[in-house]
Amino acid sequence: MKQIEKNFEHLLFSSRWLMAPVYFGLVLAMLVLLVKFTKEVWGLFAGIMTATGGELITGVLSLVDIALIMNLLIIIMFSGYENFVSKMDDLHSHQDRPDWMGHIGFSDLKVKLIGSIVAISGIELLKAFMNVDDLSDRHLGWMVGIHVTFLFSGVLYALMDKLGSKH
């Protein structure tokens, strides 16, 4: 019976490697976002002479939005892999290794995730306000409501994290 328990625990522990393809999928998602970023930059420069100031600002905000999402994916990939799959021991001495790598726990990851979502939501809301004439009041109301919900959730996450770390 002890051997069955040992084998089962080994199987459970090894199952963490099922997450590796998920993290590789996020790398592929970054490639898709890079294509989208390139398309946005191309469109921004193609219309530079005819675009209004609002259109240029919206274009730049779209670039910032994509950059934030890609940064978020890197944080999720690195910290998720190191927290749940395997340590990246060979990279500890790499000169370009980010300082935060290996130090972000699951709790930190949740707070960074919600913070990024709030920032991305804020950018989307700002882009909507730049094109306020094209959107209904109802649509804008929903966007503001969703953003406030994300913001409130972020504050609650941070508060819970702070309260949890005291105990």
Side-chain angles (χ1 to χ4, degrees), residues 72-117:
L72 178 61
L73 287 176
I74 286 178
I75 291 170
I76 291 170
M77 286 185 310
F78 286 0
S79 62
Y81 184 85
E82 281 213 332
N83 280 314
F84 301 114
V85 180
S86 180
K87 299 291 181 206
M88 296 183 187
D89 294 328
D90 293 341
L91 300 177
H92 280 292
S93 61
H94 196 282
Q95 67 182 5
D96 291 332
R97 180 185 164 99
D99 291 336
W100 55 264
M101 210 170 136
H103 301 291
I104 293 183
F106 187 62
S107 181
D108 299 326
L109 182 60
K110 287 189 300 185
V111 172
K112 288 187 183 312
L113 176 66
I114 195 69
S116 295
I117 289 171

Side-chain angles (χ1 to χ4, degrees), residues 4-73:
I4 292 172
E5 180 182 356
K6 182 180 175 183
N7 288 341
F8 181 70
E9 289 170 355
H10 182 69
L11 175 67
L12 284 179
F13 185 69
S14 298
S15 70
R16 73 191 192 282
W17 283 99
L18 294 174
M19 286 299 297
V22 173
Y23 294 121
F24 182 70
L26 293 178
V27 171
L28 297 177
M30 286 182 62
L31 288 172
V32 170
L33 286 169
L34 182 60
V35 170
K36 177 70 174 165
F37 186 88
T38 304
K39 181 181 172 191
E40 291 284 333
V41 168
W42 183 260
L44 194 61
F45 279 106
I48 199 166
M49 294 301 182
T50 58
T52 65
E55 290 170 340
L56 290 174
I57 290 171
T58 302
V60 171
L61 287 174
S62 294
L63 298 177
V64 170
D65 197 17
I66 294 170
L68 283 174
I69 293 169
M70 291 179 79
N71 288 338
L72 178 61
L73 287 176

